[in-house]
Structure formats: structure tokens, C-alpha cells
Amino acid sequence: MHTLSDIHLQFANAFRDARIRPAAYLLSKKLEEGHICVPVDSVLTEDLPFEKRWLPEPAEQPDMVGTPGGESKPFIRDGNLIYFQRYHHYESQIISHVVARATSSLRLLPERMAALEKHHTLVTNLVATYPLDGLLPEEQCDWQLVACLQALLSDFSIITGGPGTGKTTTLAKLLRILYAINPDTSVALAAPTGKASMRMHESLQNSAAAFPEMQPVFDKLKPSTLHSLLGYRPNSIHFKYNRKNTLPFSWVVVDEASMIDVPMFAKLLDALHPETRIILLGDKDQLASVEAGSLLGDLCSVIPNLNGMEPARRDWINSFLPDPQRQIPETGIAANTPWLSNHILQLKLSHRFKKRGAIGNLAGIIIRGETAALSPMLTDAEAGELHFDNVYNQSVLETFCKGYADYIQEPDIKKALEKLNNLRVLVAVREGENGLYTVNRQIERFLRQELLLKPDREFYPNRPVMVTRNNYELNLFNGDVGILRPDVQGNLRAWFTDSNGELRSILPAYLSDAETVFAMTIHKSQGSEFDKVMVILPEGTDNPLLTRELLYTAVTRAKKSVSIQATAETLLHTVSRSVKRISGITQRINQINLTIS
């Protein structure tokens, strides 16, 4: 039932022209759900609180509806899609920048190939050395080095892949080659959240062990949030860096790109100098951004066969891979390759989830929507890695949460923070019996019964907290996790680690935007990884949040074990549903013809 509390109805009724109200209502509602636009036909088929429906014909469009490239109006009709003008502008900006960079890549391709050929020995020495036994041909190929070469030929690149496929290792190899070609190049590293930028820094530092000569360079590369990179301005949607004041870098690399919404990506591209090159790293199968759009997935979906390339490009790349088994296989040759193919590459082999490993197997089943393969696993999970509890047994949660004793009993604050991040409970929703607030209270009660905590006030010792909003004055960012501990004078403080892994603390009173984090939402877990994960889904099948992308994201946060509390009905329903956000990016890019070589 539609009521006066329906904000979308109030928005639609604000327009005097009744013909536009159904489209205005539907656009407002769908934007809140993450969609960028709506098909014209949906104005007739969706459940809308209007007796009369308007199906706009181009010759009969109301004055408020414009066309691409025409006069600026509140709504834009582009083919069979209707947009708010602002979001059509953002989408158009993105497509324009991608096309411009693909075009410049073609123009500079011979020069860049020659530069790489001068460093043939260096590139060849970066070939992977992992054992090939038991791997499929597409897993044997050294896609990491292929991705490096593709990105070094391009002004715009996407390197996608699941957890453990080596996206950061690929970046480390790419930087090794890049700085050999041009020691004076300037690189900016960024991620959508503070937590993700910190993880990017940690991963790159871990990769530095293989490149000791690059340690000074890696030490200077300090990942930031996208807001910090662009120059955040309080109470403004605009940034310091923009089309008129571009970023002073030769390269920009963005990790966890699946989390970027359409407005942010449009502003990022707008802030790049025409000669600045950009690389997006991320998992196309993960949850899309909380805000509107599913940018990474949309761009990757333009290519029906990822990693397919024309024979000449394949042969040139294979010349850097002396071992035939590690070369791009025959299946990597594609006819009529879309022009965006040379700018997107998918890493295939997960080094975290070994072949036939229970977690990796489950993740694959989930993202492919294979409910038939999932059903027998619910009663026959592999001990030690997977556990399914379809009756929400309280003892299962309590047994898992005994692991929190490790950080509580650790006297060293820095080590305690590390141990806190060894495990995490992940939930799908905030409210309800299986929601964030209830589960956090349950865990607090259990740890109090175990005499591990004394949660008798808002700020109590060993309370784990997560920042929920960026605070630039305190240098704290959405997703940062800390614990409350007394300092040497006995004053309770909130302790965090910075991007260099060093401790810093603030008074708890400054934590106006923070919440307890024994449990966290799956959305907030993006960019994090834990040894052990427990996933709790709400009962039933009527929650629109329950999709395979949500469950895949939760399961792939774990490195060693996953426990899932959900009914079999809920799990099978979740795996059967996929996020389908509407945008025009794929359709509009497919209408563009560029000659590739």
C-alpha cells in the first residue's frame, strides 16, 4: 500500500506535469535500490501508485524530458532508457573517458610495445613459478604477467579476479616493470574506503619481499581513500581535483573497484589529466557499491569472453612467456574481439583457495548459482573448512566467539588488534533476530558470561569498534576497526593502526560515528579478510538483500574456515538470486565501434 510516508510518491507529486510523475516515482525508487536508469516499458509494468501511466513517445515527451546532447533538462531519454539528468551525465562522462583512453592506447601502442621489448629479460624474469600439476590450461597460464603487459600498453585497464588470485602481486610486478621503463613516473594508489586502502598498503608491502630493490619505492607509495586523493571538501559534492585542476600523477591505481559508485568514478575520471593512465583492481563478482551503480561488473560484462584477444596480441604477449604451458592457451584467441577486450583481464588461479579446496569450491558454486551442487553440501560439509547450521544453534555462535578471547587476553595492543581481525561474524541485515544489533548484543552477553568482558557502559575496555563515517580531522575513515584499552596512565582510549601499521589513539568521546564490531554487515566487510568467518543470514526468502553476490562476498572473506547459519531454503534461495542493477553502460559501449589491433 502506498501512503503519505512514501518519499518517492512525494517526490513524484512535486511535478506539475502529471505525465512525468510515474517515471519520476520509478526513477526515485530504483535509484535508492542502486539502479542508474529504468527501461521505458517498466513505467507500464511496475507496481506504481498511479491510475494513468505515461509511455513516452519521442514526439510527445513532456518539456522536462530531454535527449542526449540536447538542452539540459531534469530527465533524459536515451533510447529505451530514462535517467535523471545528473546520472545520465555521470554515465556519459565515464563512457567518454574510457573511449578517449582506449583511442589514445591505440595511437601509442607501437611506442609502448617497443619500450617493453627493450626490457624483455626483466619481464621474462617475472614469470610465475607455481607448480602446474593438476591445474587446468586456463589456470596454468601466467595471467598475472599477461595482465601487467596489457595494462602497460593501455591508458585504461581493469584487472579483475577472485580472492587470492594475486591482484596486488600483479600490481607489484607491474610497478617493477613500470619504474624500470621510467624511474621518474609518479603513481597514486587509492581505494574507496580507509580499510581497503590500508589492506592495499599491507598487501603491497607483503609483495615487496620478492622485489627488495623496489622496497624504497613501495615505502613511498601511500594508498589513500578516493575522497582524500581527490581532495575532499566538507559539505560539498565537489572535490579539489577536477577537470580544471587535474591530479598530478602519471598513473592512478584503484583497488576494490567493485565498491566505487557511478558518481565517484565519473568525478575520478574527470580529475585525471588526459595523459594520466588508470588501473582498476577488483572482483567483478563481489557486491556492487552501496550507492548507485555496479560499475566494475557493467564494464566487465561488455566482454562476453574475458581474456579473449586477437592472435597478433596473443602471440606478442606469449613471446614474454618462455614456458609454453604458462602461455595464453588457444582458447584465448577470439574472433571479432570487442574493442574493450584489450583493457580488461581476469586472473584465473586462486592461490588462497587451493584447487578443490572447500571454501574455493563453495565460492564457485555460489557465484555460478549452482543450487543443485549446493544442496548436498549442506549436510556433507568438509570438516574444518565448512560448517552449515540450519537451526541457528546458539552453541555454534558461542563456540565461534570463544576465539575473541585471543585478542582480549593479549596484553600488547598492536598484537590484540591483529588477533581481533583473525575472525569475524558477518550478517546480512542490521535489524531483526539475526541482524547486526541483536547479534552484537548476544556476543557481548556471552563474553560477559565467560568473564572476558564487562560491558557495563558505552565505552568499556576491550570493546571492538568500527568507524562508520569518514572523519578527516581525526584521520579516521569508514571501516577502520579499533579497540578500547587504557593507556599507561590508565585513561581509556580508542586504539587504531595507521596505514604504516603504527598505533594511534583518540579519546572515546570523539567516536560519535562508530559501532561495536564483533559482528559486522557483509557490505562493510568488503576489502577485509579474516582467518575464520561466521555468516548469519535472516530466515525466509523475502529479503531483497539475499543474493549470490552477497553470500559470495561473505564466504570469500575467509582464508581458513567458514560457518554459515541459515536454513537450507534461505541458502538455496539466496544462491538462486543475482543482483541485476540497471544501467546503460554496457548497452551504450556496445554501440561504439573502435578499430583494435
Side-chain angles (χ1 to χ4, degrees):
M1 178 182 293
H2 301 284
T3 67
L4 291 177
S5 63
D6 188 336
I7 190 172
H8 310 297
L9 181 59
Q10 294 179 40
F11 170 76
N13 284 333
F15 292 95
R16 292 183 179 180
D17 190 335
R19 292 176 299 166
I20 198 64
R21 290 174 186 167
Y25 178 90
L26 191 59
L27 270 172
S28 177
K29 183 172 182 291
K30 292 299 184 181
L31 184 63
E32 185 180 59
E33 296 170 2
H35 304 281
I36 296 297
C37 52
V38 296
V40 171
D41 290 349
S42 64
V43 177
L44 288 177
T45 57
E46 291 272 351
D47 177 24
L48 304 180
F50 300 95
E51 290 184 9
K52 294 183 178 180
R53 302 297 181 85
W54 168 62
L55 182 62
E57 294 296 334
E60 303 173 354
Q61 288 179 161
D63 290 340
M64 283 190 235
V65 181
T67 56
E71 183 182 349
S72 179
K73 296 186 177 182
F75 302 89
I76 297 292
R77 178 174 179 176
D78 191 342
N80 67 329
L81 299 173
I82 303 176
Y83 297 76
F84 285 125
Q85 185 274 338
R86 181 158 64 101
Y87 281 88
H88 185 269
H89 176 66
Y90 287 145
E91 193 174 273
S92 298
Q93 280 181 289
I94 292 169
I95 294 169
S96 175
H97 281 291
V98 171
V99 170
R101 280 173 165 72
T103 302
S104 61
S105 299
L106 285 172
R107 177 172 52 84
L108 296 169
L109 184 62
E111 175 185 325
R112 291 171 178 172
M113 292 175 73
L116 284 164
E117 286 165 2
K118 288 180 181 179
H119 294 82
H120 193 281
T121 300
L122 168 63
V123 176
T124 301
N125 288 339
L126 296 176
V127 172
T129 58
Y130 54 79
L132 300 179
D133 294 343
L135 300 181
L136 299 172
E138 66 173 21
E139 294 173 323
Q140 293 177 353
C141 175
D142 187 357
W143 292 115
Q144 291 182 6
L145 196 55
V146 175
C148 288
L149 294 169
Q150 287 275 57
L152 288 164
L153 295 175
S154 304
D155 286 354
F156 171 82
S157 302
I158 293 175
I159 300 174
T160 185
T165 51
K167 294 183 288 292
T168 309
T169 301
T170 302
L171 173 60
K173 292 181 178 182
L174 186 149
L175 292 172
R176 177 68 183 91
I177 303 168
L178 175 61
Y179 278 93
I181 295 173
N182 181 7
D184 296 324
T185 195
S186 55
V187 179
L189 306 180
T193 67
K195 179 64 178 178
S197 67
M198 190 178 299
R199 280 286 309 138
M200 188 183 192
H201 182 264
E202 293 170 356
S203 298
L204 194 57
Q205 287 295 322
N206 291 337
S207 299
F211 309 102
E213 71 279 9
M214 292 293 293
Q215 189 66 60
V217 174
F218 289 171
D219 288 342
K220 291 179 182 178
L221 294 174
K222 306 291 185 184
S224 66
T225 65
L226 285 174
H227 283 79
S228 294
L229 176 69
L230 293 176
Y232 169 77
R233 288 178 171 171
N235 304 315
S236 173
I237 64 171
H238 302 292
F239 293 94
K240 172 184 176 182
Y241 292 102
N242 49 51
R243 180 172 296 184
K244 295 181 180 179
N245 180 35
T246 55
L247 287 163
F249 299 101
S250 304
W251 291 76
V252 172
V253 182
V254 184
D255 198 11
E256 296 294 343
S258 63
M259 300 169 67
I260 307 175
D261 58 58
V262 164
M264 174 57 79
F265 191 54
K267 292 170 185 178
L268 171 63
L269 291 179
D270 231 23
L272 300 182
H273 186 277
E275 295 181 3
T276 298
R277 300 159 74 176
I278 183 169
I279 299 174
L280 304 180
L281 307 175
D283 184 349
K284 67 179 181 64
D285 295 321
Q286 266 192 196
L287 279 170
S289 62
V290 175
E291 305 299 331
S294 51
L295 181 76
L296 190 71
D298 286 345
L299 289 170
C300 290
S301 68
V302 172
I303 314 301
N305 178 28
L306 284 175
N307 298 12
M309 61 187 70
E310 292 194 335
R313 174 69 68 103
R314 172 185 175 270
D315 292 344
W316 183 83
I317 291 176
N318 278 345
S319 71
F320 291 89
L321 302 168
D323 183 349
Q325 286 186 281
R326 297 189 190 274
Q327 293 181 347
I328 302 170
E330 291 292 330
T331 53
I333 297 178
N336 301 318
T337 309
W339 60 267
L340 200 53
S341 294
N342 288 338
H343 303 271
I344 303 176
L345 195 124
Q346 182 178 20
L347 305 178
K348 299 284 190 176
L349 177 63
S350 175
H351 301 277
R352 181 191 302 175
F353 305 134
K354 300 301 181 184
K355 189 169 177 65
R356 301 186 183 88
I359 298 176
N361 185 40
L362 175 62
I365 287 172
I366 291 170
I367 204 59
R368 293 189 296 270
E370 297 174 352
T371 54
L374 178 62
S375 292
M377 296 179 67
L378 302 183
T379 55
D380 189 28
E382 188 172 326
E385 286 192 58
L386 297 180
H387 178 257
F388 295 93
D389 170 26
N390 59 14
V391 295
Y392 296 88
N393 191 326
Q394 185 68 18
S395 66
V396 174
L397 175 62
E398 292 176 353
T399 298
F400 181 86
C401 291
K402 287 180 180 179
Y404 284 124
D406 288 348
Y407 94 85
I408 294 171
Q409 295 170 342
E410 172 57 60
D412 184 280
I413 297 175
K414 189 174 180 180
K415 291 181 180 178
L417 279 166
E418 293 173 358
K419 290 183 176 181
L420 170 62
N421 287 320
N422 285 342
L423 72 162
R424 195 61 44 88
V425 177
L426 304 180
V427 298
V429 296
R430 289 183 167 271
E431 307 287 349
E433 184 178 353
N434 300 306
L436 179 72
Y437 307 121
T438 299
V439 172
N440 267 319
R441 287 194 295 269
Q442 289 175 339
I443 297 171
E444 281 183 327
R445 284 196 298 269
F446 170 70
L447 295 176
R448 180 176 57 192
Q449 293 169 5
E450 295 290 302
L451 305 179
L452 292 167
L453 290 181
K454 192 176 180 182
D456 53 355
R457 55 191 185 277
E458 181 181 5
F459 300 120
Y460 58 86
N462 285 311
R463 179 190 170 194
V465 291
M466 182 176 67
V467 177
T468 57
R469 181 179 298 179
N470 293 336
N471 187 320
Y472 293 90
E473 292 180 0
L474 295 175
N475 198 31
L476 289 176
F477 301 97
N478 188 359
D480 286 354
V481 172
I483 56 174
L484 301 183
R485 285 274 180 97
D487 59 18
V488 291
Q489 286 82 31
N491 300 313
L492 193 65
R493 299 185 69 86
W495 299 87
F496 298 86
T497 53
D498 61 21
S499 58
N500 296 316
E502 299 300 322
L503 279 176
R504 55 187 298 265
S505 68
I506 64 168
L507 292 172
Y510 289 123
L511 290 174
S512 57
D513 297 297
E515 59 191 17
T516 301
V517 72
F518 291 113
M520 67 194 303
T521 63
I522 297 169
H523 278 87
K524 289 287 188 181
S525 74
Q526 288 181 270
S528 300
E529 60 182 30
F530 313 96
D531 286 344
K532 300 177 181 179
V533 162
M534 182 168 185
V535 183
I536 303 178
L537 300 183
E539 291 191 65
T541 60
D542 58 350
N543 193 308
L545 289 176
L546 296 180
T547 63
R548 68 184 65 149
E549 290 84 1
L550 182 90
L551 186 57
Y552 169 85
T553 300
V555 166
T556 55
R557 298 311 90 202
K559 293 187 287 186
K560 295 182 179 178
S561 68
V562 175
S563 180
I564 301 178
Q565 283 192 324
T567 65
E569 180 188 28
T570 298
L571 272 175
L572 294 172
H573 171 77
T574 299
V575 173
S576 71
R577 296 182 66 248
S578 180
V579 174
K580 292 181 179 178
R581 288 187 171 181
I582 304 169
S583 86
I585 288 179
T586 301
Q587 175 179 311
R588 293 172 68 184
I589 286 180
N590 278 329
Q591 293 171 349
I592 297 169
N593 292 316
L594 288 182
T595 302
I596 70 169
S597 59

